[in-house]
Amino acid sequence: MTLFIVFGALALGAAVAMVFQRNAVHAALLLVLNLLAVAVLFLSLGAEFLFASQIIVYAGAIVVLFLFVIMLLGVDRSEVVLEHTPFQRRQIALGAVSALVLIGAAAPVLGSKTLTAKLPAIPKTFGSAQSIGTVLFQTYLLPFELTGLLLLVATIGILMLAKKKPR
Amino acid sequence: MDWLDVVIILVKVVVCFLLLNLLLAVVVWAERKVIADMQSRIGPNRAGPYGLLQSIADGLKLFTKEDIFPLSADRIVYPIAPIISAVPAFLAFTVVPFGNMLSIGHRHITLQIADINVGLLFFLAMGSIAVYGVALAGWSSGSKYPLIGAVRSSAQMISYEIAMGLSVIPVVLYAGTLSTRGIVLAQQHMWFIGAQIPSFLIYLIAGVAECNRAPFDLPEAETELVAGFHTEYSGIKFMLFFMAEYMHIVTISAIAVTLFFGGWMGPHPNFLVPLWGVLWFLGKTAAFVFLFYWVRASFPRLRYDQLMNVGWKFLIPIGMAWIPISAAVHIFDIRRVVLVGAGVIVGIIVLSLVLPTKKPEVLTEEEAKTTA
């Protein structure tokens, strides 16, 4: 429980700070902090496999590519991010409204104490490599393969777009 | 878990950390001596007998040197980049099993800091975090050579991580577990190197590339980039990068021993049994560290396009082809000899598919490097 409070707060704080951060690289780093804190939450639930894959996939691959693009394009130059465009202002307003709606919807559930009582105990195999393997490759084999196909199509599409046209 | 367990864990962590730091000093000294010998030089010979204290002298020098903070550097990221680089390098070692069991009274102490059941994934995860240290160091220095070095380095590390990930999958299939300790215990009758030569070679090449070591040391190619990502760093911050690099070498060697060479196992007389295991482990790891030196002294640096071609068009396809073959043999229980034969055939097929697309002179150079 202490683990949850500390790292839940860390995840939340890092996420909020990321949104308000002006420097693109600092924002990406706060995103990494958020992802690592969520990984520790997985660990505190005994889901060691999810913990490791969260770090490898999100922190290790995806955000590194973000950073890569930020560094290559040089969008961290200060003049790019100094002013809010009207579009961004509208986005902020929309985001604030939807956040309020979500908090309002979740408030009755969060306030009641029945929430913790109703939850079933976490099974021993939760988040282990075996249980995830069984779910992915037996129970939901077809959706899993279709997702793979979708990603393959996206990859081929990128290859076609990036290919130089013969003259 | 009572208080004694906590004490045991603390002692393990502190002792391992101190010994590793000492080991790093020896590894650096040994590299300078070995490479000097291969180049007909003497190497360090002033500080202590045979220059043994050279690393410690260098460490003290770096501690007391001026710590320069460039004006254009990022205030926050610049100082933490070396830490992000060094911490995962040490953390990765926590899952390495360096011995079997030590029994004192009726307490069994595993000779490993943390035996988590996804140990191998933890090792890969720490490798992927290490990319941040390099990328951030290059970006935050606010200077062009470090930036180019960092971009090169992160591209290289991401590419070779895939190859490394693929190379460990057949081992996991055979062992049936992701725990590093479990993998060693699964090799009681036969080391995995016997059936997994292609995997081992992919792991080794990807491992050298992951450490940014010659011949894959493009991120710090001194003739082009000054010193790459750590050009602007000095004093203790530079030392952290230096330690991280050598720690990666030790860990990658140790995991190679764990995955393919039976970890702590080896013949031994029947007294002080757990310590013999540690000795075997250290000996095997030292052999791999020596291989790192040897490779560095033997091969010239690759060109950037060659580096990417080796990773994406050579290692990854072979790794992918090898996984189903290993899986099939594992299920249908064919003799392991067949596995080796099939691996050779697939290697030839992939080679013939990949190589004709390039110019002939590039082809021979690259082939020589990857097969070596």
Side-chain angles (χ1 to χ4, degrees), chain A residues 35-36 42 46 62 78 97 103 110 130 136 138 149:
Chain A
L35 293 170
L36 291 181
F42 281 135
I62 292 176
S78 50
V97 169
I103 292 169
L110 290 175
Q130 283 90 346
L136 276 187
Q138 282 178 2
L149 193 69

Side-chain angles (χ1 to χ4, degrees), chain B residues 52-322:
Chain B
L52 253 173
L53 300 177
Q54 187 64 48
S55 307
I56 294 165
D58 285 344
L60 285 176
K61 180 196 77 177
L62 285 171
F63 255 113
T64 50
K65 259 182 120 175
E66 188 190 354
D67 188 16
I68 298 164
F69 203 117
L71 278 178
S72 57
D74 190 284
R75 295 285 109 187
I76 306 157
V77 181
Y78 180 80
I80 63 170
I83 302 169
I84 298 178
S85 198
V87 169
F90 278 96
L91 277 183
F93 196 83
T94 54
V95 295
V96 172
F98 48 87
N100 192 4
M101 284 272 197
L102 196 62
S103 302
I104 299 171
H106 41 250
R107 223 167 248 288
H108 300 291
I109 305 167
T110 45
L111 290 178
Q112 177 179 8
I113 295 172
D115 179 23
I116 55 179
N117 61 20
V118 289
L120 199 54
L121 283 181
F122 185 80
F123 160 71
L124 293 175
M126 287 306 114
S128 61
I129 293 291
V131 182
Y132 281 102
V134 173
L136 292 175
W139 172 80
S140 65
S141 297
S143 153
K144 34 180 162 339
Y145 292 122
L147 185 62
I148 299 170
V151 169
R152 275 190 184 184
S153 174
S154 10
Q156 170 181 339
M157 284 164 104
I158 294 168
S159 313
Y160 280 84
E161 250 164 39
I162 302 171
M164 186 181 258
L166 288 174
S167 72
V168 303
I169 290 175
V171 173
V172 174
L173 271 176
Y174 269 56
T177 174
L178 282 163
S179 144
T180 41
R181 211 182 132 70
I183 288 171
V184 173
L185 289 174
Q187 298 177 67
Q188 242 153 7
H189 302 295
M190 187 185 178
W191 294 354
F192 286 143
I193 180 68
Q196 296 291 349
I197 292 170
S199 259
F200 169 65
L201 291 177
I202 295 173
Y203 175 87
L204 205 60
I205 296 172
V208 175
E210 277 277 285
C211 298
N212 292 333
R213 292 280 298 183
F216 301 105
D217 59 343
L218 283 120
E220 22 193 304
E222 56 271 42
T223 43
E224 307 160 21
L225 293 175
V226 192
F229 63 90
H230 58 62
T231 305
E232 303 290 345
Y233 283 91
S234 57
I236 190 159
K237 293 192 187 113
F238 169 75
M239 195 166 94
L240 285 176
F241 281 120
F242 195 72
M243 282 165 72
E245 179 179 334
Y246 282 87
M247 198 57 228
H248 276 302
I249 294 172
V250 171
T251 311
I252 284 184
S253 306
I255 292 284
V257 168
T258 305
L259 291 182
F260 300 102
F261 286 88
W264 67 77
M265 289 180 191
H268 56 76
N270 208 6
F271 59 95
L272 288 174
V273 174
L275 297 180
W276 282 106
V278 177
L279 270 185
W280 268 111
F281 170 81
L282 282 177
K284 291 173 187 173
T285 308
F288 273 98
V289 173
F290 179 78
L291 194 69
F292 270 87
Y293 305 157
W294 198 2
V295 166
R296 178 180 166 192
S298 308
F299 295 105
R301 187 178 295 134
L302 269 76
R303 244 184 14 240
Y304 195 66
D305 57 323
Q306 292 173 331
L307 174 97
M308 282 296 158
N309 282 343
V310 170
W312 286 97
K313 296 184 181 170
F314 189 83
L315 295 182
I316 292 178
I318 290 185
M320 282 188 170
W322 183 247

Side-chain angles (χ1 to χ4, degrees), chain B residues 32-42 296-298:
Chain B
R32 295 179 64 177
K33 270 297 192 199
V34 167
I35 298 239
D37 206 40
M38 286 175 177
Q39 296 168 343
S40 302
R41 295 183 285 117
I42 297 171
R296 178 180 166 192
S298 308

